[in-house]
Amino acid sequence: MNNRGIITEIFSELSKGNDEPFLESMSEDMQWNWMGSGAWSKSFVGKPQVLNDLWANVRATLKQPYQVIVHRIIADGDYVVVEMTGQNETTSGIPYKNNYCWVCKLKDGKICEINEYMDTELVSKAFGG
């Protein structure tokens, strides 16, 4: 399957609230970058850090299941860009419908890097700090 097909399947499952294919698709040397220059700009390096420091916080802060609506997928070689809107709510009941653009790099059928662009003000309101 080509990279666009891999990402399309992963996000089809995320739209249903199933994050397991997404988590399984990450390479061990995965790097996830929150783009920008503010307090929410940082990198998570290695699959354990992505799962333990990033995704565990998402699962703890947002009511499960985590869901998105995909608006657009654009693919070019190793890179697949996904534009989407989250369909979530915090555990305290605050709507969390962030707009995202993820630039995903794949290697050998696995996601090895994500550059994430998002509304960091909304992140601050939902996640604090």
Side-chain angles (χ1 to χ4, degrees):
M1 181 180 302
N2 66 25
N3 290 337
R4 181 188 180 99
I6 292 168
I7 293 296
T8 298
E9 281 192 11
I10 289 167
F11 281 87
S12 174
E13 289 300 310
L14 269 179
S15 71
K16 299 174 201 170
N18 179 12
D19 64 357
E20 288 305 316
F22 173 57
L23 301 177
E24 291 170 6
S25 74
M26 294 178 189
S27 67
E28 290 303 314
D29 62 345
M30 168 76 176
Q31 180 166 328
W32 192 320
N33 305 302
W34 286 346
M35 307 306 288
S37 58
W40 288 98
S41 301
K42 61 179 92 177
S43 294
F44 302 88
V45 180
K47 189 173 182 176
Q49 188 178 35
V50 169
L51 296 178
N52 297 327
D53 296 348
L54 189 163
W55 207 253
N57 196 22
V58 168
R59 283 183 166 170
T61 305
L62 299 178
K63 286 183 183 175
Q64 296 303 304
Y66 176 84
Q67 293 180 284
V68 297
I69 294 175
V70 173
H71 304 294
R72 188 170 292 106
I73 296 176
I74 302 167
D76 184 18
D78 293 341
Y79 293 89
V80 182
V81 178
V82 184
E83 184 181 8
M84 66 194 131
T85 303
Q87 297 299 299
N88 303 290
E89 185 176 299
T90 67
T91 55
S92 60
I94 300 169
Y96 186 73
K97 299 188 185 308
N98 208 334
N99 293 303
Y100 304 99
C101 182
W102 290 4
V103 180
C104 305
K105 181 179 181 183
L106 287 88
K107 183 172 75 175
D108 300 324
K110 295 278 192 179
I111 300 172
C112 62
E113 184 175 19
I114 295 175
N115 289 337
E116 179 178 350
Y117 301 86
M118 62 185 151
D119 179 349
T120 55
E121 182 65 23
L122 185 59
V123 174
S124 291
K125 288 178 183 174
F127 289 80

